[in-house]
Amino acid sequence: VPGSFKIGRIAGIPVELHWSLGFAALLVGGNLAVGLGPAFALAGLLLLFGSVLAHEFAHALVARRYGVGTQRITLWLLGGVAQLRSEPTTPRAAGFIAAAGPLASLAVAAASVGAAVATAGLDGPSGLVSVFAWSTAINALLAVFNLLPGAPLDGGRILAAVRWGRHGDRFRADTEAGTAGQVVGAIVVMVGVWLILQGYGGIAIAVTGLFIYMSAVAEKRAAPLRRSLEGVRVGDLTWFGVARARADTDAETMLWQRGRLGGAQVVAVEQPDGSLAGLVEEQKLWSVPEEQRRSVRLASLAVPFSRYAQASPDEPLSQVLARLHPLSPWVTVWRGDTLVGVITPEALKRRLEHAAHTG
Ligand SMILES: [Zn+2]
């Protein structure tokens, strides 16, 4: 996810923070600090962070139980996202994976009530009691809000799973959940606007509603495409055997050897230690002014892999589309830590146009 950085792995799943989370932390932390002082505000922030993580890990761990891996968990302004590697194969799996998050939030809310009561009973600091009470409210809100029955919220995923189980067509079910998401989003926007008109702070609610509405529209638009790409794997479109060249190769030499680049017209740049620095497209070699081509090295032209969508050969193609970089829609294909090939923007475009005609 652009604008995110990895902080580590939990249970083997990479956890990333998006820059917008800092904004949320300042806002929430500032509010808490006014009432409780900085120490308890920090405790509250850590609890909030842990609560959102617990919610996302519940999705990820139940998914794992159904044989669905998690690519990464990203925390951002409006909460968290657990990005699954593939789609659940049964309505039952889809429903339980979706329900796990809100259930975890309810469990954390219950634990927070317990902690608040225990702290108060033991005559603990009142600031700590307030922090636990606040955590109860936040987690209950997180559960209830996420259970609103419209995609992309968990409640929408549960709705889609139920409909899928009922009529057996998952794409139709997704479209239905998308429509419900538009309705839910519109209602949340109206509630936000109403709160603003009443003089309360409803901006965050209105913005969240708008986000839900737009995500629901995007999911509905994607449903027919996903249907027509059903069964297509990343490996089906992959150009295997990307050429490699040393990082100190100059652009001129590489252009002389451009026959090596093959159909993908791209070269992987190899560092002295054997690791790969990134990719250079043939087009980029040509864009170096002719008089500089002898001095410009591949090392300085390489685009790091973090700037490309990454996928494994067995992954469904439809799954990868959401990860494409809009300006550079290449897919790098990996088996473990080894680059095995790429999907070029042209190959992808051709397949999608074909899908649009047949879908
Ligand atoms: Zn969730």
Side-chain angles (χ1 to χ4, degrees):
V1 183
S4 309
F5 58 95
K6 203 169 136 181
I7 56 162
R9 280 171 182 273
I10 302 176
I13 300 165
V15 177
E16 286 184 357
L17 302 183
H18 188 257
W19 65 267
S20 61
L21 188 73
F23 187 66
L26 277 179
L27 215 71
V28 175
N31 261 328
L32 280 178
V34 169
L36 300 173
F40 288 121
L42 186 65
L45 271 187
L46 288 177
L47 259 178
L48 176 62
F49 181 77
S51 301
V52 176
L53 263 187
H55 179 108
E56 297 311 324
F57 266 94
H59 287 308
L61 295 180
V62 173
R64 180 179 288 176
R65 212 193 144 280
Y66 284 102
V68 177
T70 300
Q71 189 96 13
R72 64 174 71 84
I73 286 176
T74 309
L75 302 187
W76 68 301
L77 181 61
L78 297 180
V81 183
Q83 202 167 58
L84 303 182
R85 280 184 202 280
S86 58
E87 297 195 342
T89 48
T90 62
R92 197 183 160 77
F96 280 122
I97 293 169
L103 283 177
S105 295
L106 283 179
V108 176
S112 300
V113 173
V117 170
T119 311
L122 293 170
D123 273 336
S126 67
L128 197 57
V129 178
S130 304
V131 166
F132 284 132
W134 178 76
S135 164
T136 305
I138 288 288
N139 278 285
L141 194 70
L142 205 60
V144 170
F145 180 75
N146 273 295
L147 283 172
L148 292 178
L153 299 171
D154 295 330
R157 309 264 181 251
I158 297 171
L159 174 68
V162 170
R163 295 296 298 160
W164 178 15
R166 188 81 37 98
H167 54 54
D169 182 341
R170 75 179 305 169
F171 300 103
R172 190 179 138 199
D174 287 348
T175 308
E176 289 164 349
T179 304
Q182 283 177 281
V183 174
V184 167
I187 292 174
V188 173
V189 168
M190 286 191 284
V191 169
V193 169
W194 182 79
L195 283 173
I196 293 168
L197 293 178
Q198 300 298 308
Y200 301 107
I203 293 174
I205 295 175
V207 169
T208 305
L210 199 62
F211 172 78
I212 294 170
Y213 183 88
M214 292 192 310
S215 304
V217 170
E219 292 204 3
K220 264 175 79 173
R221 286 218 184 108
L225 187 65
R226 288 186 27 238
R227 182 198 292 277
S228 64
L229 289 179
E230 203 185 5
V232 180
R233 305 261 150 196
V234 166
D236 300 339
L237 268 73
T238 300
W239 170 273
F240 290 100
V242 173
R244 290 178 174 222
R246 289 167 44 149
D248 60 0
T249 312
D250 60 82
E252 169 109 6
T253 307
M254 199 64 241
L255 278 171
W256 274 105
Q257 300 178 5
R258 68 178 180 276
R260 289 174 56 207
L261 301 186
Q265 298 182 313
V266 73
V267 60
V269 180
E270 205 170 40
Q271 288 170 318
D273 65 358
S275 66
L276 296 179
L279 295 179
V280 178
E281 296 165 36
E282 181 180 336
Q283 205 187 338
K284 195 157 180 190
L285 295 170
W286 289 113
S287 72
V288 177
E290 220 172 324
E291 64 279 7
Q292 291 172 21
R293 282 183 196 153
R294 275 173 186 283
S295 55
V296 171
R297 315 267 164 197
L298 293 185
S300 64
L301 296 173
V303 176
F305 291 110
S306 60
R307 297 271 299 276
Y308 297 107
Q310 305 185 6
S312 67
D314 310 319
E315 207 175 339
L317 183 65
S318 61
Q319 188 88 19
V320 180
L321 298 180
R323 303 208 292 270
L324 287 175
H325 194 289
L327 297 177
S328 176
W330 289 73
V331 180
T332 55
V333 184
W334 303 78
R335 220 171 241 127
D337 288 333
T338 311
L339 179 76
V340 294
V342 294
I343 301 180
T344 66
E346 290 73 31
L348 200 59
K349 186 163 168 264
R350 242 178 290 125
R351 187 62 188 81
L352 291 184
E353 279 168 0
H354 175 73
H357 289 304
T358 55

